[in-house]
Amino acid sequence: MSSSAEYDYNCPVCCEIFKAPVLLSCSHSVCKECLQQFWRTKKTQECPVCRRRSSKDRPPLNLALKNLCESFLKERNERRSSGSEEICSLHSEKLKLFCLEDKQPACLLCFTSEQHINHTFRPISEVVSSYKEELNTALKSLQEKLKKRENMKEEFEKTVQHIKSQAEHTERQIKQQFEKLHQFLRDEEEATITALREEEEQKKQMMKEKLEEMNRHISALSHTIKDTEEMMKDNGVCFLKEFPVTMERVQISQPDPQTPSGALIHVPRYLGNLPFRVWKKMQDIVQNTPVILDPNTANRHLDLSDDLTSVRFSETDQLFPDNPERFDWCRCVLGSEGFNSGTHFWDVELKESQRWSLGVTTASNQRKGCVFFDTDVWCVAYRWPERYGFPVEQDLERVRVDLAYDRGTVSFSDPVTNTHLHTFTTSFTDTVFPFFFTYPSLKILPFNSQ
């Protein structure tokens, strides 16, 4: 059916195929809903086409036009669903060819028309087959992308769950660590207050004894004064007889009592530099480890301690997300802090390790696949193939890694025997991270153990 024929079925208001058309007294037809909306907007009952006022509030349904529109829609839908729209709109001939230049179906008259001079034509069936093959290839690509994105979605969901688990575990560890500090401070507070109260009791007891002594002196003086005053009331021989003894009692010389030295509380002993003194004592219960492991880089077969200073091999494949920072093949883990200047050293305890490799590597080194040790790794290794690092023959309890970034050296030694193992010399241009590769376990030692 031609486009001009389809136009005859269009509502003059919405320009779509009529839906429930009504017939106005002026013989124009409009969709019922369109007419009502038009009248509500204009607030007058006039025809949207000729503006003639309608004589009826409820124009009758144009049943003939409604049936024609429904037949037209049904026919068009059938043609579309069956793919039978093969009539040329210009020549009313069957569409059997396809113009490769215009990318449009064409009939035999189109093929000979001036509009398609020097154009290339192919049978529609041939083009459909070719296009289906092309579309199928593109569809497979989309299907692969969909599968990849579904896998990524699963990985994202795992990551969200892991983030939640990480946060909960970290919060528990934070609370435990602060509880230790709080308990230490509570113990120090109690000990300091106890010492203060003990001194208070000692000083109060001393002053109590001084007060008792003072009371005795006051009582003795009071009696002497009273006896002397009684004696002075006599005027005769009795007074003269008692005078020498009384005079001797009055003239007895005793030193005046003094406030004892150190009687008050030694306040500076408790308040002087109190936070600093507590902090100094706190250093005995806290440790400072120069390298902290980064759990986000650990291979799934590695289990890190809660304080992130030791690592142990695990037979269980832990459900960590495959984030870009994580080693997926090498059973390695990196330190959490990288270095791009200065001098740094750390000691690694290897008592329980049967095989190990450790040193430094660049931040940009590949962590996916088995190519990690190919470039940008400076390490020593025990009981691993030579590609895993400079070979160390002796079974060591400790290894010290000494990084001098600015000088471009990485040295390894045995701190127990003070024996040099190996030194690499290079020119660092990238941030480097400590790395550790062990079976079954190793531990990074704190400074006070080095």
Side-chain angles (χ1 to χ4, degrees):
M1 190 170 291
S2 68
S3 59
S4 59
E6 182 173 338
Y7 178 78
D8 293 336
Y9 298 98
N10 288 347
C11 168
V13 176
C14 64
C15 298
E16 300 289 340
I17 302 298
F18 283 108
K19 297 175 184 177
V22 292
L23 182 64
L24 298 175
S25 54
C26 59
S27 298
H28 290 121
S29 292
V30 185
C31 290
K32 181 179 180 181
E33 181 63 31
C34 293
L35 181 64
Q36 292 174 350
Q37 179 64 34
F38 182 78
W39 282 359
R40 283 195 296 269
T41 303
K42 289 291 186 177
K43 297 181 179 179
T44 178
Q45 294 180 351
E46 59 182 33
C47 173
V49 179
C50 65
R51 304 300 180 183
R52 181 177 174 181
R53 187 172 179 80
S54 174
S55 59
K56 297 178 180 179
D57 294 339
R58 296 181 179 180
L61 184 66
N62 191 339
L63 190 59
L65 181 58
K66 178 177 180 293
N67 292 336
L68 285 173
C69 288
E70 289 176 352
S71 299
F72 172 78
L73 287 172
K74 181 178 180 182
E75 181 183 350
R76 188 178 68 176
N77 291 337
E78 287 175 352
R79 287 199 308 270
R80 286 179 177 177
S81 61
S82 62
S84 61
E85 282 190 295
E86 300 178 355
I87 304 300
C88 176
S89 60
L90 295 177
H91 306 108
S92 298
E93 295 287 335
K94 285 189 176 182
L95 299 170
K96 295 183 178 182
L97 301 175
F98 188 82
C99 177
L100 298 182
E101 278 75 16
D102 292 339
K103 305 294 183 184
Q104 292 292 335
C107 67
L108 292 175
L109 294 178
C110 293
F111 176 74
T112 59
S113 69
E114 185 176 353
Q115 183 181 354
H116 292 278
I117 291 177
N118 297 326
H119 285 191
T120 303
F121 290 83
R122 292 287 184 272
I124 282 182
S125 59
E126 181 180 322
V127 176
V128 167
S129 177
S130 173
Y131 276 14
K132 279 188 176 182
E133 184 177 345
E134 183 180 343
L135 185 60
N136 189 49
T137 302
L139 181 61
K140 286 181 179 179
S141 176
L142 282 179
Q143 290 169 340
E144 290 174 0
K145 286 182 179 180
L146 175 61
K147 186 175 180 180
K148 184 176 180 181
R149 279 158 176 73
E150 287 175 344
N151 292 336
M152 288 180 67
K153 178 188 174 184
E154 290 182 9
E155 202 63 36
F156 288 173
E157 289 172 347
K158 289 180 184 177
T159 301
V160 170
Q161 188 60 39
H162 187 67
I163 290 170
K164 181 181 178 182
S165 176
Q166 272 189 315
E168 291 173 349
H169 180 266
T170 304
E171 182 177 339
R172 287 194 299 270
Q173 291 300 115
I174 289 171
K175 289 181 177 179
Q176 290 177 12
Q177 293 296 325
F178 271 98
E179 178 55 31
K180 290 179 181 178
L181 297 177
H182 292 159
Q183 187 59 49
F184 171 81
L185 292 175
R186 285 193 292 267
D187 292 344
E188 282 300 306
E189 177 186 8
E190 183 177 351
T192 304
I193 292 175
T194 299
L196 171 63
R197 288 173 178 169
E198 287 176 355
E199 182 178 354
E200 177 190 9
E201 288 302 317
Q202 292 173 359
K203 297 295 175 69
K204 285 165 64 177
Q205 182 62 32
M206 180 182 69
M207 292 308 299
K208 182 179 179 181
E209 293 172 359
K210 292 291 183 182
L211 277 170
E212 290 175 353
E213 182 182 359
M214 181 63 70
N215 287 333
R216 289 195 297 271
H217 288 173
I218 291 173
S219 178
L221 288 173
S222 297
H223 282 98
T224 300
I225 293 170
K226 183 178 180 181
D227 291 346
T228 303
E229 289 175 345
E230 287 295 327
M231 190 199 72
M232 289 180 66
K233 293 178 181 179
D234 294 333
N235 294 319
V237 177
C238 194
F239 172 79
L240 293 174
K241 286 180 178 181
E242 296 292 332
F243 175 76
V245 177
T246 303
M247 194 63 185
E248 184 179 351
R249 288 176 63 189
V250 171
Q251 290 181 338
I252 292 176
S253 176
Q254 290 184 345
D256 291 334
Q258 301 290 327
T259 302
S261 177
L264 300 181
I265 296 293
H266 195 331
V267 176
R269 180 181 299 161
Y270 306 101
L271 294 182
N273 291 322
L274 178 59
F276 176 78
R277 288 186 290 109
V278 173
W279 172 74
K280 289 287 288 184
K281 291 186 69 175
M282 189 179 290
Q283 289 181 321
D284 296 334
I285 68 165
V286 298
Q287 295 179 334
N288 180 23
T289 305
V291 171
I292 299 298
L293 301 176
D294 183 359
N296 294 338
T297 67
N299 179 272
R300 293 182 178 185
H301 283 278
L302 298 181
D303 187 16
L304 305 188
S305 61
D306 287 337
D307 63 359
L308 305 179
T309 62
S310 63
V311 56
R312 177 174 293 276
F313 174 79
S314 172
E315 294 290 348
T316 305
D317 186 352
Q318 303 180 79
L319 299 178
F320 297 149
D322 188 22
N323 49 299
E325 300 86 358
R326 191 175 306 281
F327 287 95
D328 66 347
W329 186 85
C330 292
R331 291 168 183 176
C332 301
V333 61
L334 298 185
S336 61
E337 180 183 0
F339 307 112
N340 53 23
S341 65
T343 300
H344 313 272
F345 79 93
W346 53 95
D347 285 2
V348 185
E349 185 177 82
L350 302 163
K351 291 179 181 179
E352 299 182 10
S353 184
Q354 301 173 16
R355 292 177 291 171
W356 48 263
S357 176
L358 53 92
V360 298
T361 185
T362 57
S364 58
N365 195 4
Q366 180 59 253
R367 304 180 195 180
K368 305 299 181 183
C370 57
V371 297
F372 172 69
F373 287 93
D374 292 352
T375 59
D376 294 337
V377 178
W378 299 270
C379 61
V380 292
Y382 176 68
R383 289 184 177 175
W384 287 112
E386 190 171 343
R387 70 180 291 259
Y388 291 106
F390 180 84
V392 174
E393 300 298 330
Q394 58 270 49
D395 186 6
L396 302 174
E397 290 187 5
R398 294 186 184 183
V399 168
R400 175 167 294 174
V401 184
D402 196 335
L403 168 67
Y405 188 96
D406 301 322
R407 293 201 306 268
T409 62
V410 187
S411 297
F412 301 86
S413 61
D414 177 2
V416 177
T417 61
N418 198 25
T419 303
H420 177 261
L421 300 175
H422 187 69
T423 296
F424 292 97
T425 301
T426 185
S427 296
F428 295 116
T429 57
D430 193 4
T431 299
V432 295
F433 285 80
F435 95 92
F436 308 89
F437 184 22
T438 184
Y439 177 84
S441 66
L442 57 77
K443 178 179 178 60
I444 305 162
L445 296 174
F447 272 127
N448 54 15
S449 299
Q450 297 180 355

